[in-house]
Amino acid sequence: MNENTFKERLKLFFIKNQRSSLRIRLFNFSLKLLSCFLYIVRVLLDDPTQGLGCKELSRSCSNQNYTPGTIDWSPIIWVNRSLPLWGLQVSVAVISLFETLLLSYLSYKGNIWEQILRIPFLLEIINAVPFIITIFWPVLRNLFIPVFLNCWLAKHALENMINDLHRAIQRTQSAMFNQVLILISTLLCLIFTCICGIQHLERAGNRLTLFDSLYFCIVTFSTVGFGDVTPKIWPSKLLVVIMICVALVVLPIQFEQLAYLWMERQKSGGNYSRYRAQTEKHVVLCVSSLKIDLLMDFLNEFYAHPRLQDYYVVILCPTEMDAQVRRVLQIPMWSQRVIYLQGSALKDQDLLRAKMDDAEACFILSSRCEVDRTAADHQTILRAWAVKDFAPNCPLYVQILKPENKFHIKFADHVVCEEEFKYAMLALNCICPATSTLITLLVHTSRGHTAPWEAFRQLTGTKQTLNRESQQSPEQWQKMYGRCSGNEVYHINLEESTFFAEYEGKSFTYASFHAHKKFGVCLIGVRKEDNKNILLNPGPRYIMSSTDICFYINITKEENSAFKKQEKHRQNHESKLSYHGASRLPVHSIIASMGTVAIDLQDTGCRGPSGATLALPAEGGKEGRRPSIAPVLEVADSSSLHTCDLLSDQSEDETTPSDDEVSAGLEYAKGYPPYSPYIGSSPTFCHLLHEKVPFCCLRLDKGCQHNYYEDAKAYGFKNKLIIVAAETAGNGLYNFIVPLRAYYRPKKELNPIVLLLDNPPDMHFLDAICWFPMVYYMVGSIDNLDDLLRCGVTFAANMVVVDKESTMSAEEDYMADAKTIVNVQTLFRLFSSLSIITELTHPANMRFMQFRAKDCYSLALSKLEKKEREKGSNLAFMFRLPFAAGRVFSISMLDTLLYQSFVKDYMISITRLLLGLDTTPGSGFLCSMKITEEDLWIRTYARLYQKLCSSTGDIPIGVYRTESQKLTTSESQISISVEEWEDTKDTKDQFSCRGNHRNSTSSDQSDHPLLRRKSMQWARRLSRRAPRHSAKTAEKINQQRMNLYRRSERQELAELVKNRMKHLGLSPAGYDEMNDHQNTLSYILINPSPDTRLELNDIVYLIRPDPLTYVPNAAPSRKDSFCNTVGQDTREETQL
């Protein structure tokens, strides 16, 4: 083909070139609109009585009156057209006809009839050729020509113009836009054609105006049909019938196509408006499949922050929206702020639809319910790469499942590795009870509702604002637990802070203690302006600077608190109170000033190694004087820093190991693990062996040439075991071992770790763990009682049950935890004294943990959970006893950690430091201490805070408290033996036994051979007496009967366990089947009020300074390694 020919040049200009073709289409569209406009002008200027075109016709016919059955055709055939108007119409017709013929010639491809029989070509001939004929035959100048049909040619030109426009600007409008445009233009053309046709035909009838004709068409097409305006002659009636038939055929087809596109648009979600993206802020959530739980967790946490209320959430998901999600997104609260787009993050078109380049952030979540979690991570990695390639400036928040895949997305701004956090949290649960609950509560945004003025009013009291959770509960523990659960981590610049500004130039511990004393806030860490690393409790030697960023735990951030707004009023109020003596001071000031008003420095001496508690100062001076505590110094000096306490364990271990350790060859070194199972693990200073253990010695249940032990008891461990039941030894399991072998853990308190695996571990995993002391594995399952007994379950302090990957996906979502729950329930029944920590896939299933169907207290907690969910609580399950006690955990609870990082970009770093996943030089670590009888002289949490800050620099952040259930229907009050009922012992002795031994059972009960028969006799006796008692008493008796039956059942289970132990050659001496925790409840108080009373067996969470920060140049001697402060080597259960 020769492109230089004249035809090809014309074709290039009129058709092929996009921009010139668009101009030609626009010109043609304008001509058609102009011709329709000229027709309307002609109608408005026309007079039917003077529309005759032939001189021979008598003008008398114009005066005829219309009679039924006769039609005067002359007004229909002839019209009155002025000469200027005729000239304009002829010019438009000539140009239009020439353009049509030229385009037909250029589009000719060998079939002439295909060009001629096209409807646009025929309409052009009908409208243009008669005008050209009138040039040569002036008599026909007033002949009627249906120029209004050019509206259809204008519609055709508009469609072609839109197509050329898309090609010219390289942007595709949605199919919905095109279909709506076609529908509207078709409807307008139908109405315009009907208006003009009826108006012209009725020139011989009612002589309707254009407005009358418009009114008639609208009334007719809308099916109203008033009947006040109707056609009179049969041609106009026929036209109406034809137009109605055409409308009934054309419009439904157009509507059907529009409805189909609308449904498809609803499935795919359409587009996020470019204008909205430029004027409003939005974030994008990319997921593989969207579940209702995941969606609600994200929305509740994201919109819990006040400054995010105006943000839009665009969900980009490749699957179709399910029915539950659709119902939720139709709720007005979400329908205006959440936009669902069906599409893939790997397609630029879909990312463009979501306006990813304008988004404030992109959250990419993995599908944890996939059978192949590695494949799910690969999909997440590709999504992250695609988003980074498309929108390199968009902040990325990525959730990954397996730690070995984390290094592929190091470029992301924030990354949460599920298995890293999960195993580290489960490990800390074994040495710091309920760490999982502590972290979960800290990373969830509570929904407090106390006004700032009430917070200011509470300044003179506990200084804790009320939280929505459980404020209507009659249980005191629920009120305390719910109130303290509202504490979160916030940050503020020191020089801008009311809480901390006055402590510039003071030590960190001084600022933390006095801020807690005055405002009830817990300062836990700082970050220098020129350093990105956060330091948790850098210790008393750290001096606060005006440019430091302070991180603190409080109910609300300082900017929203009444302290900020009423600081001046508070200072005046305190200045007035200071003149009235200590008796007029606020309660919290009296509590926290015990060691500052009356300074007593008697607690600065050293003590021997036998002391294991907080030392009670020696009494001296005035008798009856309460013991006081040394003040917290503004700037620490060498005399106040007991570095020997912080390093007592290290100095003792490294210099003079005990004889037992030397004989057993248990000398450990400290260093970094030489081998990591995956790339990207943070190096942690740990206790290590001098030489790695042979792989054969890592097998617990099989002897080798190095040892002949075949069960846990044969090893003779001094400390109780920690058993981890998992399906496979994944790389994440490495993060379970590292926190338990960190260098700051006392060597004498290291617990042996036994990995109970369904499948044998890989060699590279064994190569990573063989350097750690007292780490073993065994191939077995928690389904098998023999495997449990061989791995030492009777000697275990904690049993950690990890959710199996193969069961995470099920046909019914919530059934994924079924096997784990039943297995744990079996463990709970067989080994009731064992502390079991369980991981579940779905948090809602934690209500089945330690399930007791007829326990009234559990039923009451279930009702409370429903009420909290109705109130909109983000943690409706927080009052479930297993969760409050830290015995159950779901990794989905930590999804909010990633969401909260959008507002608090430091939360992931602080959580990793608390869990020991990262170690920053100079940053402290999380540990705990137990309050014993010798420590109760401290009395209150404020005095404990001062004691710790003034001695070792530890910062307490919360309390783990265990209480007895004092319920009339609980099992804790059932301690009556069957023999007491059978032998009718003295009533006084019975009541004494019931009152003094609520938490135990009779010793004779375990040896009675006919326990079940006697329990049934006792039950029948109670049933005979039932009519005499009230309903409440009858319920109590029924509960007692069930509990005795349960006791007898438990003894049968105990006999089963003992028989299996004897069969395996294991001694049943250490198995205590009657010691359980069913009569206790445990909960966490995060940053409790200063006047909170300490109770026996309270466990205090501490952030302890980094011991390496205080290491002197010379190694400390053994003589200086024991001092009279709380920071010495942790012994027994005290970890101070």
Side-chain angles (χ1 to χ4, degrees):
M1 180 181 297
N2 188 3
E3 296 184 357
N4 293 325
T5 62
F6 181 71
K7 180 180 179 181
E8 289 300 324
R9 291 181 181 179
L10 290 176
K11 194 173 183 179
L12 178 64
F13 180 79
F14 282 91
I15 299 177
K16 293 183 178 180
N17 188 277
Q18 299 169 356
R19 297 187 179 276
S20 59
S21 174
L22 177 62
R23 297 189 187 100
I24 298 298
R25 307 280 189 187
L26 181 61
F27 176 73
N28 188 21
F29 176 71
S30 302
L31 281 180
K32 304 308 176 187
L33 290 182
L34 178 60
S35 64
C36 293
F37 176 74
L38 293 177
Y39 177 85
I40 295 175
V41 171
R42 198 271 308 162
V43 172
L44 294 177
L45 298 178
D46 189 17
D47 184 4
T49 61
Q50 299 179 1
L52 303 179
C54 297
K55 297 180 180 179
E56 302 87 24
L57 293 176
S58 172
R59 292 189 178 272
S60 62
C61 66
S62 63
N63 298 324
Q64 296 179 6
N65 293 327
Y66 171 76
T67 58
T70 61
I71 301 176
D72 184 9
W73 293 97
S74 59
I76 298 176
I77 299 175
W78 304 101
V79 295
N80 185 16
R81 185 180 292 117
S82 63
L83 184 61
L85 183 61
W86 172 80
L88 288 175
Q89 287 185 320
V90 169
S91 302
V92 170
V94 171
I95 297 174
S96 297
L97 181 62
F98 175 76
E99 180 188 9
T100 301
L101 294 176
L102 179 60
L103 291 176
S104 299
Y105 168 72
L106 296 177
S107 302
Y108 174 69
K109 295 181 180 180
N111 189 351
I112 187 64
W113 294 107
E114 180 181 357
Q115 300 293 328
I116 294 176
L117 297 179
R118 289 188 304 113
I119 292 179
F121 183 82
L122 294 178
L123 288 177
E124 192 69 50
I125 295 298
I126 293 174
N127 291 325
V129 171
F131 279 108
I132 297 176
I133 294 176
T134 59
I135 298 175
F136 306 100
W137 197 354
V139 178
L140 302 178
R141 184 173 300 172
N142 290 330
L143 180 68
F144 169 73
I145 302 173
V147 182
F148 57 84
L149 294 179
N150 277 329
C151 64
W152 296 98
L153 296 177
K155 170 183 173 294
H156 180 69
L158 178 63
E159 295 176 6
N160 294 332
M161 184 178 64
I162 294 298
N163 294 333
D164 289 342
L165 179 64
H166 292 167
R167 289 193 306 160
I169 63 178
Q170 297 295 320
R171 181 176 298 176
T172 304
Q173 284 287 353
S174 66
M176 177 66 66
F177 172 81
N178 291 339
Q179 192 62 38
V180 170
L181 182 66
I182 292 174
L183 176 63
I184 294 176
S185 59
T186 302
L187 186 61
L188 290 177
C189 289
L190 281 173
I191 294 176
F192 185 75
T193 302
C194 187
I195 292 172
C196 295
I198 291 177
Q199 185 275 333
H200 179 73
L201 292 176
E202 283 298 313
R203 285 163 57 91
N206 288 341
R207 298 176 182 176
L208 300 177
T209 64
L210 278 177
F211 182 79
D212 293 335
S213 182
L214 172 64
Y215 170 76
F216 168 76
C217 291
I218 296 299
V219 170
T220 303
F221 276 92
S222 63
T223 68
V224 176
F226 290 119
D228 53 343
V229 177
T230 57
K232 297 298 182 180
I233 60 176
W234 68 265
S236 57
K237 294 179 181 179
L238 179 63
L239 178 63
V240 171
V241 172
I242 294 174
M243 296 305 299
I244 291 177
C245 293
V246 172
L248 290 178
V249 173
V250 175
L251 292 182
I253 296 176
Q254 301 291 336
F255 277 113
E256 180 186 6
Q257 295 178 356
L258 183 63
Y260 173 78
L261 291 176
W262 176 258
M263 291 193 317
E264 291 297 320
R265 178 191 177 101
Q266 289 297 104
K267 293 180 181 180
S268 63
N271 297 328
Y272 184 68
S273 169
R274 171 68 64 176
Y275 172 76
R276 180 184 290 179
Q278 294 175 351
T279 57
E280 305 287 348
K281 296 181 178 180
H282 76 286
V283 297
V284 180
L285 175 64
C286 296
V287 290
S288 298
S289 60
L290 188 62
K291 302 294 183 182
I292 187 63
D293 293 337
L294 175 66
L295 175 63
M296 295 312 301
D297 286 343
F298 179 84
L299 295 180
N300 287 332
E301 182 62 34
F302 186 80
Y303 285 113
H305 300 276
R307 73 180 185 89
L308 301 182
Q309 297 303 310
D310 295 332
Y311 277 64
Y312 287 87
V313 173
V314 179
I315 302 173
L316 187 60
C317 180
T319 60
E320 185 178 345
M321 191 188 327
D322 63 18
Q324 284 184 320
V325 174
R326 189 183 303 277
R327 284 195 299 267
V328 169
L329 295 186
Q330 289 175 351
I331 298 175
M333 184 171 69
W334 306 125
S335 61
Q336 303 300 323
R337 297 189 288 183
V338 182
I339 301 170
Y340 187 94
L341 303 181
Q342 183 178 352
S344 173
L346 272 65
K347 295 181 179 180
D348 287 352
Q349 296 89 341
D350 293 331
L351 294 178
L352 183 63
R353 290 169 53 207
K355 303 301 181 291
M356 185 69 73
D357 49 344
D358 295 324
E360 299 295 319
C362 176
F363 295 88
I364 303 178
L365 306 183
S366 296
S367 178
R368 63 169 55 92
C369 295
E370 293 288 339
V371 177
D372 189 352
R373 293 165 68 86
T374 301
D377 272 352
H378 293 168
Q379 297 175 12
T380 301
I381 293 169
L382 287 183
R383 289 191 182 97
W385 289 354
V387 172
K388 196 65 177 178
D389 177 70
F390 182 84
N393 296 325
C394 179
L396 276 179
Y397 297 76
V398 183
Q399 178 194 69
I400 206 77
L401 300 179
K402 290 188 171 293
E404 59 265 26
N405 298 319
K406 190 175 65 172
F407 78 100
H408 290 293
I409 51 173
K410 290 184 65 177
F411 57 84
D413 299 84
H414 299 277
V415 179
V416 171
C417 180
E418 180 177 296
E419 289 195 3
E420 269 190 343
F421 280 87
K422 174 179 72 175
Y423 283 109
M425 197 170 297
L426 293 174
L428 278 186
N429 262 13
C430 300
I431 52 179
C432 296
T435 302
S436 59
T437 303
L438 172 69
I439 299 297
T440 300
L441 294 177
L442 283 178
V443 302
H444 272 78
T445 302
S446 63
R447 298 197 172 188
H449 64 285
T450 300
W453 278 102
E454 180 165 346
F456 177 72
R457 179 184 60 81
Q458 293 175 352
L459 183 144
T460 58
T462 62
K463 303 176 295 305
Q464 297 285 358
T465 57
L466 292 176
N467 193 35
R468 174 180 296 182
E469 282 79 11
S470 175
Q471 291 309 308
Q472 304 299 326
S473 173
E475 295 284 338
Q476 183 62 29
W477 78 268
Q478 292 175 1
K479 292 181 179 180
M480 296 178 59
Y481 173 52
R483 180 175 65 245
C484 294
S485 68
N487 283 277
E488 299 178 43
V489 181
Y490 299 99
H491 74 291
I492 194 171
N493 193 285
L494 179 70
E495 60 184 356
E496 301 173 358
S497 172
T498 301
F499 292 161
F500 312 113
E502 60 183 297
Y503 306 119
E504 180 182 354
K506 311 293 177 59
S507 68
F508 177 85
T509 52
Y510 181 88
S512 180
F513 165 67
H514 284 278
H516 184 266
K517 181 180 74 170
K518 292 183 179 180
F519 304 104
V521 300
C522 179
L523 178 63
I524 62 171
V526 293
R527 180 175 63 194
K528 286 185 173 295
E529 184 182 22
D530 56 348
N531 196 342
K532 294 183 180 180
N533 293 328
I534 298 176
L535 302 179
L536 294 182
N537 187 13
R541 287 187 175 178
Y542 184 90
I543 304 302
M544 305 293 289
S545 173
S546 61
T547 58
D548 286 348
I549 304 297
C550 301
F551 300 95
Y552 61 95
I553 297 177
N554 195 24
I555 289 288
T556 183
K557 61 181 179 179
E558 180 181 333
E559 293 85 344
N560 296 339
S561 66
F563 302 107
K564 190 76 173 179
K565 301 177 182 178
Q566 303 296 333
E567 176 64 16
K568 184 176 181 180
H569 175 71
R570 184 190 65 81
Q571 292 176 353
N572 295 335
H573 182 62
E574 289 184 348
S575 63
K576 293 179 181 179
L577 290 174
S578 64
Y579 291 104
H580 294 82
S583 62
R584 298 293 300 277
L585 286 173
V587 177
H588 68 277
S589 298
I590 297 175
I591 293 171
S593 301
M594 288 298 182
T596 55
V597 176
I599 299 177
D600 188 354
L601 299 178
Q602 297 176 358
D603 191 35
T604 58
C606 293
R607 63 179 173 180
S610 60
T613 61
L614 297 174
L616 179 66
E619 294 185 2
K622 188 176 180 179
E623 292 186 2
R625 178 182 177 185
R626 291 187 302 176
S628 59
I629 305 171
V632 183
L633 301 182
E634 295 184 3
V635 180
D637 55 19
S638 58
S639 62
S640 64
L641 293 179
H642 303 288
T643 59
C644 55
D645 296 289
L646 298 172
L647 290 176
S648 58
D649 178 69
Q650 283 82 355
S651 59
E652 181 183 356
D653 291 345
E654 293 173 0
T655 56
T656 56
S658 63
D659 296 337
D660 295 338
E661 293 171 354
V662 173
S663 61
L666 295 179
E667 293 188 46
Y668 304 146
K670 291 183 176 67
Y672 294 102
Y675 178 75
S676 174
Y678 64 91
I679 301 174
S681 62
S682 301
T684 305
F685 210 54
C686 298
H687 292 286
L688 300 174
L689 298 172
H690 291 286
E691 295 181 358
K692 69 176 184 178
V693 178
F695 291 169
C696 58
C697 296
L698 295 176
R699 186 73 181 260
L700 180 74
D701 58 332
K702 289 187 178 181
C704 63
Q705 59 181 351
H706 306 96
N707 65 69
Y708 302 97
Y709 305 142
E710 294 185 355
D711 58 77
K713 186 173 182 179
Y715 284 82
F717 296 121
K718 294 183 178 180
N719 296 330
K720 290 189 174 183
L721 305 177
I722 296 176
I723 302 176
V724 186
E727 185 176 19
T728 57
N731 294 327
L733 197 55
Y734 176 80
N735 293 288
F736 183 91
I737 301 173
V738 170
L740 298 178
R741 294 295 180 263
Y743 73 98
Y744 43 76
R745 307 291 176 196
K747 184 179 67 175
K748 294 180 180 179
E749 295 187 356
L750 298 181
N751 298 90
I753 302 174
V754 178
L755 309 179
L756 183 61
L757 307 173
D758 290 355
N759 303 309
D762 297 332
M763 299 302 294
H764 74 277
F765 179 79
L766 296 178
D767 199 22
I769 69 172
C770 66
W771 291 94
F772 295 102
M774 292 186 295
V775 178
Y776 307 92
Y777 79 93
M778 173 181 164
V779 179
S781 174
I782 57 175
D783 300 340
N784 193 315
L785 179 58
D786 292 353
D787 292 339
L788 291 173
L789 294 174
R790 287 194 188 97
C791 72
V793 68
T794 57
F795 314 106
N798 293 278
M799 178 81 176
V800 179
V801 181
V802 181
D803 202 7
K804 297 182 179 181
E805 295 182 8
S806 60
T807 62
M808 285 185 177
S809 59
E811 293 183 2
E812 186 177 349
D813 289 340
Y814 290 92
M815 285 297 177
D817 294 321
K819 187 175 182 180
T820 301
I821 292 173
V822 175
N823 289 337
V824 171
Q825 183 73 0
T826 303
L827 283 174
F828 175 67
R829 301 288 294 277
L830 291 175
F831 309 98
S832 56
S833 61
L834 180 64
S835 176
I836 307 174
I837 304 169
T838 311
E839 183 215 354
L840 298 178
T841 303
H842 300 282
N845 288 333
M846 66 177 58
R847 64 183 185 272
F848 302 120
M849 303 306 299
Q850 302 178 8
F851 184 72
R852 288 173 285 180
K854 297 186 178 181
D855 185 24
C856 297
Y857 193 65
S858 298
L859 295 178
L861 291 178
S862 177
K863 294 180 180 178
L864 177 61
E865 179 179 344
K866 295 176 183 177
K867 291 181 180 179
E868 294 296 329
R869 186 177 289 109
E870 292 174 358
K871 294 178 182 178
S873 174
N874 292 349
L875 285 175
F877 51 80
M878 63 176 290
F879 295 103
R880 290 285 183 177
L881 295 183
F883 174 77
R887 297 192 181 101
V888 65
F889 166 72
S890 176
I891 190 60
S892 62
M893 299 176 187
L894 281 188
D895 288 347
T896 56
L897 176 62
L898 189 67
Y899 312 152
Q900 202 174 81
S901 298
F902 181 67
V903 175
K904 304 175 182 178
D905 57 356
Y906 49 83
M907 280 306 300
I908 294 179
S909 299
I910 290 180
T911 306
R912 292 183 66 88
L913 290 173
L914 287 175
L915 296 179
L917 289 172
D918 290 340
T919 53
T920 302
S923 179
F925 59 93
L926 181 66
C927 62
S928 63
M929 64 164 286
K930 190 171 185 179
I931 300 297
T932 62
E933 292 183 356
E934 291 79 4
D935 302 326
L936 292 178
W937 67 274
I938 297 290
R939 294 191 302 278
T940 63
Y941 186 76
R943 287 172 57 83
L944 175 67
Y945 208 117
Q946 183 176 354
K947 174 65 178 176
L948 294 171
C949 290
S950 63
S951 54
T952 60
D954 294 348
I955 302 297
I957 62 173
V959 175
Y960 179 75
R961 179 163 293 175
T962 301
E963 296 179 355
S964 297
Q965 286 181 282
K966 299 178 182 179
L967 300 170
T968 58
T969 58
S970 69
E971 187 177 342
S972 62
Q973 292 183 340
I974 308 302
S975 59
I976 307 170
S977 66
V978 176
E979 286 132 346
E980 289 175 337
W981 285 90
E982 289 292 329
D983 300 337
T984 62
K985 291 186 178 181
D986 185 44
T987 307
K988 183 177 180 180
D989 296 338
Q990 293 177 10
F991 286 175
S992 176
C993 178
R994 295 171 67 184
N996 298 331
H997 304 283
R998 298 186 310 167
N999 299 331
S1000 62
T1001 57
S1002 174
S1003 60
D1004 298 335
Q1005 189 176 7
S1006 60
D1007 300 328
H1008 204 284
L1010 302 176
L1011 180 61
R1012 182 180 294 274
R1013 180 175 59 83
K1014 291 190 176 185
S1015 64
M1016 296 305 294
Q1017 293 174 358
W1018 176 74
R1020 286 194 295 271
R1021 187 176 303 174
L1022 289 178
S1023 64
R1024 289 194 296 268
R1025 298 177 183 177
R1028 303 178 187 177
H1029 301 289
S1030 63
K1032 183 175 181 181
T1033 307
E1035 182 183 358
K1036 176 179 178 180
I1037 293 173
N1038 182 62
Q1039 186 72 18
Q1040 290 175 341
R1041 181 179 61 180
M1042 294 305 299
N1043 285 329
L1044 273 181
Y1045 173 78
R1046 196 179 302 154
R1047 294 280 184 175
S1048 61
E1049 184 184 62
R1050 188 178 303 164
Q1051 283 194 339
E1052 292 182 1
L1053 296 174
E1055 290 299 325
L1056 171 65
V1057 174
K1058 290 180 179 180
N1059 289 335
R1060 292 309 304 165
M1061 293 180 72
K1062 292 177 182 178
H1063 178 75
L1064 296 174
L1066 304 175
S1067 173
Y1071 178 66
D1072 183 10
E1073 70 277 4
M1074 302 307 294
N1075 181 21
D1076 58 50
H1077 306 286
Q1078 294 185 12
N1079 58 340
T1080 61
L1081 59 89
S1082 302
Y1083 56 94
I1084 289 178
L1085 302 177
I1086 302 176
N1087 187 28
S1089 59
D1091 58 347
T1092 301
R1093 302 288 298 186
L1094 297 178
E1095 296 182 3
L1096 185 64
N1097 296 326
D1098 278 353
I1099 297 177
V1100 182
Y1101 298 101
L1102 308 173
I1103 299 180
R1104 179 163 294 169
D1106 184 7
L1108 297 181
T1109 307
Y1110 304 101
V1111 174
N1113 294 331
S1117 64
R1118 184 179 183 184
K1119 180 179 179 181
D1120 295 333
S1121 63
F1122 302 98
C1123 293
N1124 189 22
T1125 61
V1126 295
Q1128 85 167 91
D1129 174 22
T1130 310
R1131 294 174 178 82
E1132 300 297 335
E1133 295 173 329
T1134 304
Q1135 297 191 15
L1136 271 177

